[in-house]
Amino acid sequence: MAGNSASVRGSFGSKFGVIAAAAGSAVGLGNIWKFPYITGVYGGAAFLFVYLGFIVAIGLPVMISEFTIGRKARKNAFGSFKKLAPKTPWYVTGFLGVGAAYLILSFYGVVAGWAMNYTVEALKGSFNGKTPDELTSFFTSFIASPFKPIFWQLSFMFLTGLIVIMGVQKGIERYSKLLMPLLVVILIILMFRSMTLPGASKGLAFLFKPDFSKLTWEGVLSALGHAFFSLSLGMGTLITYGSYINNKNNLGKTALQVTLADTVIAIFAGMVILPAVFAFNIEPGAGPGLVFITLPNVFLQMPGGYFFSILFFILLTVAALTSSISILEVVVAFLSEELKMSRRIATILAASSIALVGAFCSLSMGHLDYAIFLGKNFFDTVDFFSANIFLPFGGLFISLFMGWHLGRKKTLKELSNHGEIKIWYIKPLIFSLRFIAPIAIFIVSIYGIYENVVSYLASLN
Ligand code: TRP
């Protein structure tokens, strides 16, 4: 019976709960670890402006689509497509999404484990008295060691599973409501510290004064990929969350608020990290190690650095946790609805098998560092497949599904809560979903794959 299956599904209890959970999903390592460093790598403000353009033109429309698909179908990512497009191959999109969730979380958990370990190291004062070189080898030898990073990765996955097992409202929503305000408070304290450092204004100029001559095509393409990653789009996370949103919610408005929160928090994270980096004359283009190698350097030189380093790594861990629960929920919702498992069994099975794959990701940074695909080790292969293939193609199919399959009339009906709210933006929305998003995503992913193959072939010579 329809009523029966609806009653066992979870749901979010309040409007703030929806925002906290969805913004909690979006705000993560992508904002605090990745955004500042890729902005640094691609030259600062010009990259930021292109990123913002993609967020508005593509990210927001796709986010509205995911919420709409999920709420209309009231199913997990895979089941949603099966229900809205029966007897068609659209369900492959949902299936890809569940697979991507599995892969993303396996390496996400590893990086989040690093953040947990660094919280403890900050507490112990382990960065004290270390030279920049020593801090570099502190990081590289840690991530390559066999046990310690896996211990932290497993601890992080355990926490993630613990929250998800408690359910949509009592687990995910409750902890998002608790952790997201904490995250914002810590971020504001750190921002204040960073902006009052002498020399901070150079960092702000780097972030906000565009120099478009520095922008490369590669930068443009990374901006699009990062827009997807940062907003949690392309694999059904927000389809799954959308399926828990009640029928009165204004989905367009919710998507706008989540997008704003994610973007503002990324910019704030940039305002924490870049002024500090410039104030101490450190290279902003340091890459993925920016947060784990460069920042401890900065904290060492900064008054109150001990205290602020602890706060920073707590921030990173909390941000990762509210994202990882949303990724795990994609798999758990799939297993419990499609394979009729209890939430408990589904969570234990998903979390432990993802943790196992994650352990191999972690080992591939050290003991198992063999190239297995296009010269990449296991960690980089998993990262490459999920971020450069699954996510963009997922986003492409979601756009096409909404724009062409569901179409303007059905979309409008769901988005307007059956005519209760006026959707003035329906025209540009459908236009982006039909043309702008699919074409841009197609170009980006093909280019991304091409570039990787070319650089691999070049490395062979
Ligand atoms: N958006 C999160 C971050 O910025 C990560 C994340 C959560 C994600 N769910 C996702 C990324 C779904 C891609 C797809 O860290």
Side-chain angles (χ1 to χ4, degrees):
M1 268 184 300
N4 238 345
S5 66
S7 62
V8 292
R9 290 200 96 248
S11 65
F12 291 128
S14 68
K15 237 198 237 170
F16 176 64
V18 171
I19 302 282
S25 170
V27 175
L29 296 172
N31 302 59
I32 295 164
W33 167 62
K34 202 165 180 192
F35 173 78
Y37 95 66
I38 52 175
T39 305
V41 168
Y42 294 115
F47 173 85
L48 173 65
F49 285 99
V50 174
Y51 172 74
L52 292 179
F54 284 140
I55 291 276
V56 175
I58 298 171
L60 188 55
V62 174
M63 189 183 293
I64 295 174
S65 307
E66 290 209 19
F67 281 152
T68 307
I69 292 169
R71 191 178 68 176
K72 188 166 167 55
R74 295 235 173 272
K75 288 271 179 208
N76 63 86
F78 171 83
S80 285
F81 287 98
K82 240 178 55 184
K83 182 163 171 188
L84 297 181
K87 303 198 181 70
T88 67
W90 279 109
Y91 67 85
V92 174
T93 308
F95 201 71
L96 271 178
V98 177
Y102 205 94
L103 290 179
I104 290 184
L105 190 50
S106 60
F107 75 85
Y108 204 84
V110 174
V111 181
W114 299 347
M116 269 177 102
N117 177 58
Y118 265 60
T119 309
V120 174
E121 299 291 359
L123 267 165
K124 292 199 301 197
S126 310
F127 312 133
N128 269 341
K130 288 204 165 48
T131 63
D133 280 347
E134 284 168 342
L135 283 170
T136 306
S137 63
F138 185 76
F139 178 66
T140 49
S141 65
F142 160 63
I143 66 171
S145 63
F147 299 116
K148 214 171 162 195
I150 293 186
F151 168 78
W152 286 111
Q153 178 243 352
L154 294 180
S155 312
F156 180 82
M157 287 304 298
F158 181 78
L159 278 182
T160 303
L162 209 59
I163 296 179
V164 169
I165 220 167
M166 291 189 250
V168 175
Q169 210 170 102
K170 294 210 176 91
I172 294 173
E173 181 175 354
R174 190 168 76 177
Y175 284 93
S176 301
K177 285 202 298 203
L178 200 80
L179 294 173
M180 286 310 284
L182 174 70
L183 180 148
V184 172
V185 171
I186 298 179
L187 194 63
I188 289 175
I189 296 175
L190 286 169
M191 200 162 76
F192 188 73
R193 165 70 278 194
S194 212
M195 308 267 278
T196 51
L197 289 168
S201 60
K202 266 191 278 172
L204 292 181
F206 180 78
L207 187 59
F208 294 118
K209 264 205 201 142
D211 174 0
F212 284 95
S213 67
K214 277 200 203 148
L215 196 66
T216 58
W217 270 108
E218 201 192 314
V220 173
L221 302 169
S222 308
L224 180 61
H226 187 64
F228 270 89
F229 188 87
S230 191
L231 293 174
S232 299
L233 298 175
M235 55 161 241
T237 300
L238 298 184
I239 292 179
T240 309
Y241 273 17
S243 76
Y244 304 139
I245 300 179
N246 73 42
N247 288 329
K248 295 215 174 68
N249 194 290
N250 184 339
L251 295 179
K253 196 169 148 194
T254 300
L256 182 66
Q257 286 166 339
V258 172
T259 302
L260 267 177
D262 186 68
T263 308
V264 167
I265 289 178
I267 293 176
F268 279 11
M271 289 166 70
V272 168
I273 292 163
L274 294 168
V277 162
F278 275 83
F280 295 105
N281 277 321
I282 285 167
E283 174 52 44
L290 190 65
V291 157
F292 293 104
I293 298 171
T294 311
L295 271 193
N297 262 311
V298 169
F299 289 129
L300 276 183
Q301 301 176 52
M302 163 196 278
Y306 171 75
F307 172 71
F308 291 109
S309 68
I310 298 169
L311 272 190
F312 179 81
F313 289 109
I314 292 177
L315 171 73
L316 200 59
T317 306
V318 164
L321 190 58
T322 55
S323 298
S324 63
I325 56 180
S326 74
I327 309 177
L328 185 60
E329 180 64 19
V330 173
V331 184
V332 168
F334 168 77
L335 291 177
S336 59
E337 282 174 14
E338 302 301 319
L339 304 180
K340 309 278 177 259
M341 290 179 192
S342 69
R343 169 169 281 270
R344 211 190 165 81
I345 300 288
T347 309
I348 294 171
L349 195 72
S352 52
S353 58
I354 291 171
L356 188 70
V357 179
F360 279 101
C361 287
S362 182
L363 284 174
S364 76
M365 310 296 284
H367 283 238
L368 298 180
D369 191 6
Y370 311 114
I372 58 167
F373 177 79
L374 293 183
K376 297 178 195 318
N377 67 20
F378 189 62
F379 182 100
D380 295 332
T381 305
V382 170
D383 181 5
F384 176 80
F385 264 98
S386 48
N388 296 351
I389 298 180
F390 287 99
L391 283 191
F393 279 98
L396 176 73
F397 292 142
I398 289 167
S399 312
L400 293 176
F401 183 80
M402 276 284 282
W404 298 100
H405 181 87
L406 216 55
R408 183 183 159 136
K409 236 169 120 188
K410 283 189 192 154
T411 298
L412 188 59
K413 195 167 156 198
E414 183 64 35
L415 204 50
S416 68
N417 302 347
H418 296 254
E420 265 174 37
I421 29 186
K422 210 170 134 42
I423 307 297
W424 57 268
Y425 50 83
I426 188 72
K427 255 194 184 156
L429 176 70
I430 296 291
F431 185 76
S432 172
L433 292 172
R434 285 188 172 172
F435 304 106
I436 301 178
I439 293 171
I441 296 166
F442 186 76
I443 295 174
V444 167
S445 24
I446 294 301
Y447 186 91
I449 295 167
Y450 169 80
E451 198 179 54
N452 270 276
V453 174
V454 167
S455 69
Y456 171 65
L457 293 178
S459 75
L460 289 183
N461 297 322

